[in-house]
């Protein structure tokens, strides 16, 4: 009886051990191949849409994001950015330089780091470079380091679009009615909190930008419309708290303001419409202008910025961009409460940057996919051309062989024997090769 009981116990124990051993083979401890959870997050990760992709580059990329959450509906027209930039013709790149977005570094790349038939002439000790078209005394670039602040210090979208055509015609001595230039606007954006802190540190060291014009609708803003935040020559030594407490501080939502059409909101006249409506109009205008620009980059994604610029304009940089994270803004330690305050003061910039970041990364993804398609098509065409050459070569060899056989027929004598044909005689032994 006891022996029978032991056999009954051994059977389920052996079955359990067998299942455990089998599970270890199928689902190792470090493996993610087995799914037992049915929560919503797990299902989303396993069955994510084709847009929720990991962005991979052929080389290691420090600024590679892990996932992109789809929030905005972008069309293929929004994503497809390719410009047939004619540097020999009348095309002009216009760089809208927003303060503390890495624009100085990017501006230097434009004049010193692009592979050109006629490189920009940058003389030592001079801030500006001469960027002429090949064989012409005309500039193809409108920027701080090529044409200077011709439309005012850090001119915004409203100022540039009204000023650049006139200034370029005057510089190149062209008739405005005869000139048919294509102006391609570009800019750089940055995370709003980092940009705000960077501007505060810059102002703290003595920067003012008080020579900026802020021209809008043909006039400058009045003192009442744009009061100063400080009474002295500058704002040197200002604390972050005082910097945030000035209601007319142009650092607040600077990126939206500089990218929007200010004519839509009465320029700097705050009584033109309510603050809520003003913010809504400015944000919508900034998004539209940014989306329609030929190109924009993000300070936080230097390599992707370089890649998209090269793909957009068909120009190549000599040296690769570098990602510099050890900035003055990065060294500033702020509490969570202060961060919330800065985000509140820059609520429009925060929303714009969220929009710009997704559009930027989707353009990168779209461009990479297009590049892969082009490379596959190129390889297919090269393979087809190689096969065609091989077929032609075989046909040529066959034709040569056929023609060669015909020539031998023609060389046969009157007796029908070829030139190398030897007639067999009765003396067979004389034909045998003796060793």
């Amino acid at each position: 009886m006891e022996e029978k009981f032991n056999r009954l116990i051994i059977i389920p124990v052996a079955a359990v051990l067998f299942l455990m051993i089998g599970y270890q083979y199928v689902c190792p401890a470090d493996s993610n191949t087995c799914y037992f959870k049915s929560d919503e997050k797990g299902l989303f990760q396993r069955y994510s849409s084709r847009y929720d992709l990991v962005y991979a580059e052929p080389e290691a990329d420090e600024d590679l994001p892990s996932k992109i959450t789809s929030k905005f509906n972008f069309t293929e027209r929004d994503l497809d950015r390719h410009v047939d930039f004619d540097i020999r013709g009348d095309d002009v790149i216009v760089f809208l330089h927003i303060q503390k977005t890495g624009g100085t570094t990017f501006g230097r790349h434009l004049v010193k780091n692009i592979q050109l038939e006629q490189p920009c002439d940058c003389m030592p000790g001079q801030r500006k470079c001469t960027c002429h078209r090949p064989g012409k005394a005309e500039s193809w670039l409108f920027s701080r380091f090529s044409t200077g602040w011709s439309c005012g210090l850090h001119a915004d979208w409203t100022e540039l679009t009204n000023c650049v055509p006139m200034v370029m015609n005057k510089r190149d001595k062209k008739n405005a009615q005869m000139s048919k230039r294509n102006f391609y606007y570009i800019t750089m954006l940055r995370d709003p909190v980092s940009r705000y802190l960077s501007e505060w540190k810059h102002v703290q060291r003595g920067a003012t930008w008080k020579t900026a014009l802020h021209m809008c609708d043909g006039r400058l803003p009045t003192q009442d419309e744009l009061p100063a935040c400080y009474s002295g020559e500058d704002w040197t030594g200002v604390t972050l708290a005082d910097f945030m407490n000035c209601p007319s501080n142009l650092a607040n939502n600077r990126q939206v303001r500089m990218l929007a059409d200010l004519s839509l909101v009465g320029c700097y006249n705050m009584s033109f419409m309510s603050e809520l409506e003003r913010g809504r109009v400015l944000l919508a205008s900034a998004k539209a202008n940014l989306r329609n620009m030929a190109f924009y980059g993000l300070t936080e994604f230097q390599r992707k910025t370089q890649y998209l610029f090269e793909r957009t304009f068909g120009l190549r940089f000599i040296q690769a961009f570098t990602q510099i994270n050890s900035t003055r803004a990065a060294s500033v330690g702020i509490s969570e409460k202060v961060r919330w305050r800065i985000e509140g003061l820059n609520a429009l910039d925060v929303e714009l940057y969220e929009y710009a970041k997704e559009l930027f990364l989707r353009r990168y993804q779209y461009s990479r996919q297009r590049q892969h398609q082009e490379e596959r098509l190129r390889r297919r065409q090269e393979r087809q051309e190689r096969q065609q050459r091989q077929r032609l070569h075989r046909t040529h060899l066959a034709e040569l062989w056929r023609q060669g056989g015909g020539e031998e027929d023609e060389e046969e004598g009157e007796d029908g024997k070829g030139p190398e044909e030897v007639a067999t005689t009765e003396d067979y032994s004389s034909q045998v090769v003796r060793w």
Side-chain angles (χ1 to χ4, degrees):
M1 184 70 181
E2 183 178 354
E3 183 179 353
K4 183 177 180 180
F5 177 77
N6 290 336
R7 285 200 301 269
L8 292 175
I9 292 294
I10 290 173
I11 291 174
V13 171
V16 171
L17 291 175
F18 176 79
L19 290 175
M20 291 177 64
I21 294 172
Y23 175 77
Q24 289 298 321
Y25 277 104
V26 177
C27 300
D30 297 330
S31 173
N32 294 324
T33 58
C34 298
Y35 297 92
F36 293 98
K37 295 182 180 180
S38 60
D39 59 334
E40 184 178 355
K41 182 177 179 180
L43 289 174
F44 178 76
Q45 289 177 348
R46 292 173 60 193
Y47 303 105
S48 60
S49 67
R50 64 188 179 92
Y51 292 108
D52 193 10
L53 301 174
V54 176
Y55 290 87
E57 292 190 1
E59 300 176 359
D61 196 346
E62 296 82 0
D63 56 25
L64 192 66
S66 58
K67 291 277 185 178
I68 296 179
T69 303
S70 178
K71 184 177 180 179
F72 305 100
N73 294 322
F74 296 114
T75 65
E76 185 174 358
R77 182 180 179 182
D78 297 330
L79 303 181
D80 188 6
R81 277 294 177 274
H82 176 72
V83 174
D84 293 324
F85 185 69
D86 186 6
I87 196 171
R88 290 179 169 273
D90 294 314
D91 293 353
V92 178
I93 294 176
V94 182
F95 181 36
L96 194 163
H97 186 171
I98 302 174
Q99 289 95 316
K100 313 314 295 178
T101 59
T104 299
T105 300
F106 185 76
R108 290 197 180 102
H109 280 306
L110 293 176
V111 296
K112 294 183 178 182
N113 194 26
I114 297 183
Q115 297 177 3
L116 297 171
E117 178 182 347
Q118 182 173 329
C120 295
D121 185 11
C122 301
M123 300 296 294
Q126 295 184 1
R127 293 187 176 183
K128 292 193 300 181
C129 303
T130 302
C131 297
H132 282 165
R133 307 181 191 277
K136 295 182 180 179
E138 299 177 2
S139 179
W140 58 269
L141 175 65
F142 188 98
S143 73
R144 166 188 179 181
F145 292 115
S146 59
T147 55
W149 302 112
S150 302
C151 290
L153 179 63
H154 286 288
D156 54 38
W157 188 91
T158 306
E159 293 176 292
L160 288 177
T161 52
N162 287 278
C163 168
V164 169
M166 179 181 61
V167 170
M168 292 299 292
N169 287 332
K170 185 177 180 180
R171 285 177 58 89
D172 297 340
K173 299 178 181 180
K174 284 194 172 184
N175 189 332
Q177 296 178 349
M178 299 297 293
S179 178
K180 296 181 180 179
R181 287 190 180 88
N182 295 315
F183 294 104
Y184 297 105
Y185 285 82
I186 65 174
T187 193
M188 291 288 293
L189 295 182
R190 186 179 180 183
D191 169 74
V193 175
S194 298
R195 198 213 65 80
Y196 190 85
L197 290 173
S198 182
E199 180 164 341
W200 162 59
K201 296 296 289 184
H202 199 55
V203 170
Q204 191 181 55
R205 296 191 300 272
T208 60
W209 300 298
K210 58 185 176 182
T211 58
L213 300 177
H214 305 300
M215 184 72 68
C216 181
D217 284 349
R219 69 177 185 88
L220 303 177
T222 64
Q223 183 66 27
D224 293 335
E225 291 174 337
L226 196 59
C229 288
Y230 53 92
S231 56
E233 288 295 323
D234 54 41
W235 217 1
T236 301
V238 60
T239 64
L240 180 58
D242 289 341
F243 190 76
M244 293 188 295
N245 288 334
C246 178
S248 61
N249 191 348
L250 291 179
N252 301 338
N253 293 312
R254 182 181 288 279
Q255 296 180 99
V256 166
R257 180 183 60 80
M258 292 189 67
L259 289 174
D261 183 358
L262 299 180
S263 300
L264 300 175
V265 295
C267 299
Y268 294 90
N269 182 5
M270 300 302 170
S271 62
F272 187 81
M273 59 178 62
S274 68
E275 183 178 357
L276 184 63
E277 181 66 11
R278 178 184 176 87
R280 185 190 66 80
V281 173
L282 285 176
L283 181 60
S285 177
K287 286 182 178 179
N289 290 337
L290 185 71
R291 185 174 63 250
N292 293 325
M293 279 185 171
F295 163 83
Y296 69 88
L298 299 183
T299 308
E300 291 75 16
F301 299 95
Q302 289 293 318
R303 293 183 64 182
K304 289 180 174 61
T305 294
Q306 176 181 355
Y307 173 81
L308 284 179
F309 181 90
E310 292 178 340
R311 289 282 295 177
T312 299
F313 289 99
L315 300 172
R316 294 291 178 268
F317 290 99
I318 301 170
Q319 296 180 344
F321 287 15
T322 56
Q323 188 71 51
I324 302 176
N325 295 319
S326 58
T327 61
R328 290 187 176 91
S331 63
V332 176
I334 58 174
S335 65
E336 198 65 25
K337 184 177 180 180
V338 172
R339 174 175 288 275
W340 290 341
R341 175 81 188 283
I342 295 175
E343 290 177 349
L345 292 171
N346 294 272
L348 299 180
D349 272 11
V350 169
E351 188 167 346
L352 175 68
Y353 187 79
E354 184 181 11
Y355 178 88
K357 183 177 179 180
E358 181 176 333
L359 178 57
F360 176 86
L361 293 176
R362 294 202 181 284
R363 283 181 176 176
Y364 174 80
Q365 179 194 39
Y366 181 87
S367 185
R368 293 288 297 173
Q369 291 173 344
R370 287 289 298 271
Q371 183 182 17
H372 292 327
Q373 292 172 358
E374 292 168 1
E375 290 175 353
R376 285 196 297 268
L377 179 60
R378 177 180 54 80
R379 288 194 296 267
R380 186 183 301 116
Q381 291 175 343
E382 290 177 352
R383 186 168 59 252
Q384 291 174 350
E385 291 174 358
R386 185 167 58 251
Q387 292 172 351
Q388 179 66 15
R389 288 196 300 269
Q390 291 173 353
R391 284 194 296 269
L392 292 175
H393 183 63
R394 287 195 296 268
T395 303
H396 181 63
L397 289 179
E399 181 66 19
L400 288 177
W401 180 86
R402 187 186 65 80
Q403 292 178 358
E407 290 173 359
E408 291 178 0
D409 292 341
E410 294 175 357
E411 292 177 358
E412 290 180 356
E414 295 179 357
D415 56 358
K417 300 176 182 179
E420 296 182 359
E421 185 176 349
V422 178
T424 303
T425 64
E426 293 181 358
D427 186 4
Y428 176 78
S429 61
S430 66
Q431 308 298 323
V432 177
V433 178
R434 299 186 181 277
W435 298 88

